[in-house]
Amino acid sequence: MRATIMHKAGDVRIENVPDPGIQEPTDALIRITRACICGSDLWPYNDLEPTPDGLPMGHEAIGIVDDVGSAVAALKPGQLVVMPFAFSDGTCMFCHEGLQTSCVHGGFFGSGGGIGGAQAEALRIPLAEGTLFGLPVGPDDELMPSLLTLSDVMGTGHHAAVTAKVRPGCSVAVIGDGAVGLCGVIAARRLGAEQIIIMGRHADRTALAREFGATDVVSERGEAAIERVRELTGGFGAHSVLECVGTEQAVVTAVSIARPGGAVGRVGVPHYEAVPSGQPTFFRNVSVAGGPAPVRAYIEELLPDVMEGRIEPGRVFDRTVDLDGVPDGYRAMNDREALKVMVAP
Ligand SMILES: [Zn+2]
């Protein structure tokens, strides 16, 4: 089959690789019908050292179950499923607590270690019953883009909002106008936030954020951005800050614009060593939470809103490519020419 392999920074190729097969009784095999490129794929696209065998890429997908292992009873060949970016057994204590990204038997797709990537024709799914979630539509349903976001970005934006303790009537600042930040706006509005400030510099993206429910746009950076958010929030900062970037500057901004007693939800993969501002966050009682979103836990909650059109996170996709178009899709996202690229293998 054909799959996306990254060899080093900037070097993404579509290659013929061995077909995946069932290896464990708990596996399923899916034929990918939709995948996409993630903002987090751009980190290795910019800094991956030369990797001898290359890295299979992609961790977001919808697919059709092709085959299942002997221990898989809840999934049937032919069924359409959405795949969270992490696999999980669904039975350990962390899965029971709704933190599937800490599953004691779990792991992440598209990160090597013998686990394939989703930007491919097919993929082996470990722990299939705990991982995959059946969808109540056909593979060409018009809701496909929004359903695909349940694989990662919508669940991740929701996680940012949940860990930042968004609640009805509160003020929210969202750092980052990428797909996750935009989904964070959707999530904040869905949870009842009254004021939602989107912080970003791309006019087309902040315009979409406004359509998703943002009430204010802050395009400044650094100190100017911090001042602007304080102005917009009565001088004290926001109740909830969704950090959807992962850079040191973003997290400095995040902890600086949280009001006393407020919370920061971090979902940008950290490219910094330590969370800054130990004393200011201490004296202002600011919580800093977040991490890899347990999207498997959130699908059930978010799916009805997608099915009934109350949220439209699929609008973050502004380009669709086939597998051959994936390398250029990386380039386009990295050049900020595309917001998020969908892959229809
Ligand atoms: Zn588990």
Side-chain angles (χ1 to χ4, degrees), residues 61-87:
I62 286 175
I64 296 172
V65 176
D66 223 24
D67 196 6
V68 294
S70 57
V72 176
L75 298 160
K76 300 281 176 240
Q79 190 176 0
L80 189 73
V81 291
V82 59
M83 175 200 102
F85 65 82
F87 55 90

Side-chain angles (χ1 to χ4, degrees), residues 5-48:
I5 308 292
M6 188 182 292
H7 289 269
K8 62 178 184 335
D11 183 359
V12 176
R13 303 178 208 167
I14 306 304
E15 295 183 350
N16 286 309
V17 302
D19 288 343
I22 300 288
Q23 293 177 14
E24 301 288 336
T26 47
D27 285 352
L29 198 63
I30 64 170
R31 181 166 60 80
I32 307 284
T33 56
R34 291 286 189 286
C36 48
I37 302 172
C38 186
S40 66
D41 294 334
L42 298 181
W43 290 111
Y45 188 73
N46 283 287
D47 63 19
L48 183 68

Side-chain angles (χ1 to χ4, degrees), residues 48-264:
L48 183 68
E49 298 292 327
T51 305
D53 298 326
L55 200 57
M57 297 300 295
H59 54 259
E60 300 153 280
I62 286 175
I64 296 172
V65 176
D66 223 24
D67 196 6
V68 294
S70 57
V72 176
L75 298 160
K76 300 281 176 240
Q79 190 176 0
L80 189 73
V81 291
V82 59
M83 175 200 102
F85 65 82
F87 55 90
S88 55
D89 58 14
T91 56
C92 78
M93 63 178 170
F94 294 111
C95 286
H96 280 302
E97 289 170 10
L99 192 61
Q100 285 86 342
T101 41
S102 289
C103 175
V104 296
H105 300 114
F108 297 91
F109 292 104
S111 60
I115 304 299
Q119 292 156 10
E121 289 179 314
L123 183 61
R124 180 179 76 90
I125 310 292
L127 305 169
E129 281 193 5
T131 303
L132 297 173
F133 194 101
L135 291 172
V137 294
D140 295 316
D141 192 275
E142 61 178 14
L143 290 175
M144 220 35 63
S146 286
L147 293 168
L148 179 58
T149 67
L150 298 179
S151 188
D152 184 350
V153 281
M154 185 59 222
T156 295
H158 179 66
H159 190 57
V162 168
T163 55
K165 303 178 185 171
V166 173
R167 56 199 179 283
C170 81
S171 57
V172 174
V174 179
I175 301 179
D177 59 7
V180 170
L182 294 174
C183 288
V185 170
I186 295 173
R189 182 177 188 188
R190 185 179 166 277
L191 293 171
E194 189 170 295
Q195 181 181 32
I196 303 172
I197 303 164
I198 178 78
M199 304 176 71
R201 294 183 302 164
H202 301 87
D204 51 339
R205 300 179 184 191
T206 54
L208 183 55
R210 280 193 186 275
E211 291 183 40
F212 285 156
T215 53
D216 302 277
V217 174
V218 169
S219 54
E220 291 89 342
R221 299 189 111 186
E223 273 305 313
I226 293 166
E227 278 314 303
R228 187 80 188 103
V229 172
R230 285 191 183 143
E231 271 170 37
L232 288 167
T233 52
F236 293 111
H239 292 99
S240 301
V241 182
L242 283 52
E243 195 285 287
C244 305
V245 178
T247 61
E248 184 150 30
Q249 187 190 30
V251 77
V252 166
T253 302
V255 297
S256 303
I257 60 177
R259 69 183 246 153
V264 175

Side-chain angles (χ1 to χ4, degrees), residues 259-331:
R259 69 183 246 153
V264 175
R266 294 185 299 152
V267 294
V269 179
H271 280 61
Y272 49 85
E273 276 303 310
V275 175
S277 303
Q279 285 218 348
T281 51
F282 176 83
F283 283 104
R284 287 190 284 119
N285 273 284
V286 168
S287 309
V288 179
V295 298
R296 181 62 173 76
Y298 294 144
I299 292 172
E300 207 157 345
E301 179 180 350
L302 298 170
L303 183 61
D305 282 13
V306 169
M307 293 303 301
E308 287 151 36
R310 285 188 292 275
I311 59 173
E312 295 180 288
R315 293 178 66 194
V316 298
F317 292 107
D318 57 353
R319 186 173 299 195
T320 301
V321 299
D322 58 12
L323 270 182
D324 288 318
V326 167
D328 192 60
Y330 273 83
R331 181 207 56 75

